[in-house]
Amino acid sequence: MRILKTVALAATVLATIVGAAAAKEWTKVRIGTEGAYPPFNFQDANGELKGFDIDIAKALCTEMKVECEFVVQDWDGIIPALLAGKFDAIIASMSINEERKKSVDFTNKYYNTPPAVAVPKDSEVAGVTAEDLKDLAVGAQSSTTHSTYAEQYLTESDVKLYPTADEYKLDLENGRLDAVVDDVVVLSEWINSEAGACCKIVGTITPVKEIHGEGAGIALRKEDTDLKEKFNAAIQAIRQNGTYEKINKQYFNFDVYGG
């Protein structure tokens, strides 16, 4: 009995030591972002990161009382880089969906906007359905919910995928595409600029929950549950204290948080 008690005590002590070792003091959080998806995240002429995602990330870090360090990462490799430990969280307008949940965890959403279709201004395309886009060349950024939607639902279109949004925009402008699919805010920002004067939005797509998920969230490694809790508490706090609304108004004339 004495030996059993000793073994039990040793096991308890070991568990406490392992638990303490596993716990992490989050004084600094490295955040991965793409830096090529305006107005959510982009680099200005000086190479400085800007955008809604970036300002929200900074506000969350302030709320959590941690130091933020941003890491720019190509979109296609952003989840593998998170899993490899290159950074601790992804704040890059990543939609929460079941496929991504197989490899990463997500916080609650921090915004939710629908996808849309843009075409050249002289286009006769008048809608966003598969029938409207039949036999047309349709572009989307690869490894996104928009490319997944295009491949699964626009089966009679010639779907072309691009590493970045800038590349599909260039092909639409130059007549190599008939239409593109992306977030309505991203497309609106573009067509309202000089660079996007070529084109127009013909409508928004009703989100497919299995593909588009429930909005954009912060992606984390599954084991970092404590960091997830901190981010969720911070998202709720900035929504309540007015910080979110202040940032929102810098970029949009509507509540991008969505329903």
Side-chain angles (χ1 to χ4, degrees):
M1 182 65 69
R2 187 179 302 165
I3 292 172
L4 290 175
K5 287 182 178 178
T6 302
V7 170
L9 178 61
T12 301
V13 172
L14 179 60
T16 302
I17 293 171
V18 170
K24 182 169 181 177
E25 191 70 29
W26 292 103
T27 57
K28 181 177 182 179
V29 178
R30 296 165 300 160
I31 295 171
T33 195
E34 184 186 12
Y37 197 60
F40 293 104
N41 60 80
F42 59 94
Q43 292 177 285
D44 66 13
N46 298 318
E48 186 177 353
L49 282 167
K50 301 282 189 180
F52 179 78
D53 287 334
I54 308 306
D55 288 351
I56 288 292
K58 290 177 179 178
L60 294 175
C61 287
T62 297
E63 186 66 35
M64 296 189 296
K65 296 180 173 57
V66 298
E67 178 187 350
C68 266
E69 178 185 312
F70 290 96
V71 180
V72 176
Q73 172 69 47
D74 290 344
W75 181 257
D76 284 349
I78 204 164
I79 287 180
L82 171 69
L83 298 178
K86 187 173 179 180
F87 33 79
D88 306 304
I90 297 171
I91 303 183
S93 292
M94 181 170 283
S95 296
I96 305 164
N97 63 26
E98 294 305 316
E99 184 62 31
R100 288 174 178 146
K101 284 181 181 179
K102 293 176 183 177
S103 54
V104 298
D105 200 0
F106 282 96
T107 63
N108 299 332
K109 72 169 185 177
Y110 64 95
Y111 82 83
N112 190 12
T113 51
V117 173
V119 299
K121 278 188 173 176
D122 60 358
S123 173
E124 295 182 359
V125 174
V128 300
T129 67
E131 183 62 28
D132 291 321
L133 301 172
K134 183 179 178 180
D135 299 328
L136 300 182
V138 180
Q141 185 176 1
S142 61
S143 301
T144 64
T145 56
H146 309 298
S147 63
T148 300
Y149 174 85
E151 290 181 312
Q152 291 188 18
Y153 281 80
L154 307 181
T155 54
E156 295 189 71
S157 301
D158 179 15
V159 176
K160 299 180 182 295
L161 304 185
Y162 296 79
T164 69
D166 287 341
E167 290 167 274
Y168 77 59
K169 290 172 184 175
L170 187 62
D171 271 8
L172 185 63
E173 181 182 358
N174 291 328
R176 291 187 286 269
L177 288 174
D178 300 303
V180 296
V181 180
D182 208 332
D183 185 278
V184 66
V185 174
V186 171
L187 293 176
S188 296
E189 177 85 0
W190 175 54
I191 67 167
N192 289 329
S193 69
E194 185 178 346
C198 61
C199 303
K200 64 183 179 182
I201 291 175
V202 290
T204 57
I205 295 168
T206 301
V208 178
K209 188 174 181 181
E210 293 75 18
I211 295 175
H212 299 105
E214 56 207 70
I218 300 167
L220 306 155
R221 290 181 291 271
K222 290 189 175 184
E223 61 267 26
D224 289 336
T225 55
D226 53 344
L227 185 57
K228 176 182 175 179
E229 290 172 4
K230 287 178 180 293
F231 270 121
N232 277 336
I235 291 169
Q236 183 177 4
I238 67 170
R239 286 285 296 169
Q240 292 176 343
N241 66 21
T243 302
Y244 187 98
E245 182 181 6
K246 183 178 178 181
I247 295 170
N248 190 114
K249 286 181 177 178
Q250 293 176 26
Y251 295 93
F252 316 112
N253 58 6
F254 61 95
D255 185 1
V256 77
Y257 188 77

